Amino acid sequence: MSTQGRVEVQIHPSWKQILNDEFQQPYFAAIKQFLLKEKEQGFTIYPPGPLIFNAFNLTPFDQLKAVIIGQDPYHGKGQAHGLCFSVPDGVPPPPSLQNIFKELHADLALPIPKSGNLTGWAQQGVMLLNALLTVRANQPASHHNIGWERFTDAVIRKISEEKTGVVFLLWGKFAQEKQSLIDLSKHHVLKAAHPSPYSANNGFFGCRHFSRTNELLESNGIKPVDWRL
C-alpha cells in the first residue's frame, strides 16, 4: 500500500482483501494526506512508516484468535513499532507493560520477560491493535480525530462479522467502549481496568486474562497462546 509512492507500509495480503473497502474510502485518503503533510512540516511520526500496520502484518486475518486493544502508539523515540503496549528489543518496558508482565507472572507463573517486545504474541494470532495507528513525537493523542478511530472501529467490526470465537481483551474505559462493535453471541469479551500504574490496582491485577483467554480458546477447539516471551 502506498500514497503516490511516498508512504510505504507493510500489511499482510489477507488484511488487504478484508479492508479493501476501507482503503478506498475518502476518509482513508484524508489520513494519508494528513500524514504526508505532517512529514512535510518536519514533524516526526511514530511508528516509522513501514511499521504503521505492523499489527496487521504480523497477525494474518485467518490466524487471528484474540485481540488486545490499546489507545495510541508510544510517543517517545524508539518505543512504538505498531503493536499496542509493545516496545522493540532493547527499549525498557513502559509502566503499563511492566504491569502486564506482573499479571502474566501472577496468572501463569511465567518469568517476567527481559524484553518488552510482544511480537511473539502477535505471531500466534493475538492482534495488538491500537485505536490510533500513528502519533506525533512527544505529543500523545496528537492524531486523535484524523480518521484512525473510524478505520480501527471498522477493523473490529470486520473481525466480529467474519470470524467466530475471538477473545477480545478490553483493558480500561477506552477499550471497553469498543464492546458495542462486537457480536457477543459469537465472541468472548474479557474486561478489566487498564494496566496503567494509575488504575492497575482497580481490577487489572488479578484479572487472570491470560489463562482465561486460553481456556476460552481451548473450549472452542482453538490452540491456546503460549504467552512466554
Side-chain angles (χ1 to χ4, degrees), residues 44-63:
T44 298
I45 304 302
Y46 297 136
L51 296 177
I52 290 173
F53 285 86
N54 201 22
F56 300 83
N57 202 40
L58 291 175
T59 308
F61 187 78
D62 59 339
Q63 295 175 27

Side-chain angles (χ1 to χ4, degrees), residues 1 58 162-163:
M1 217 183 76
L58 291 175
E162 302 203 21
K163 295 190 75 71

Side-chain angles (χ1 to χ4, degrees), residues 187-204:
H187 298 288
H188 309 284
V189 168
L190 299 178
K191 294 189 285 188
H194 194 277
S196 158
Y198 300 106
S199 55
N201 285 314
N202 296 330
F204 179 76

Side-chain angles (χ1 to χ4, degrees), residues 66-182:
V67 181
I68 299 176
I69 297 176
Q71 194 154 356
D72 69 333
Y74 295 123
H75 54 87
K77 184 176 181 180
Q79 290 182 306
H81 67 142
L83 305 176
C84 73
F85 295 108
S86 179
V87 290
D89 292 327
V91 176
S96 291
L97 183 54
Q98 291 178 33
N99 285 339
I100 289 170
F101 288 162
K102 288 177 185 176
E103 177 58 23
L104 181 69
H105 172 71
D107 185 7
L108 296 172
L110 295 176
I112 301 289
K114 291 183 171 61
S115 171
N117 190 337
L118 305 182
T119 294
W121 293 358
Q123 290 173 330
Q124 292 183 74
V126 181
M127 189 176 199
L128 301 168
L129 179 67
N130 274 317
L132 310 178
L133 298 190
T134 57
V135 68
R136 192 186 285 178
N138 306 314
Q139 295 186 39
S142 46
H143 288 176
H144 176 57
N145 283 339
I146 71 165
W148 280 132
E149 293 98 331
R150 178 173 172 181
F151 175 72
T152 53
D153 280 1
V155 170
I156 296 167
R157 254 189 236 103
K158 288 279 190 185
I159 295 169
S160 178
E161 290 167 2
E162 302 203 21
K163 295 190 75 71
T164 303
V166 174
V167 182
F168 290 86
L169 290 81
L170 308 183
W171 297 337
K173 182 174 180 290
F174 178 87
Q176 288 164 18
E177 289 173 350
K178 305 298 182 183
Q179 180 173 313
S180 62
L181 306 171
I182 301 164

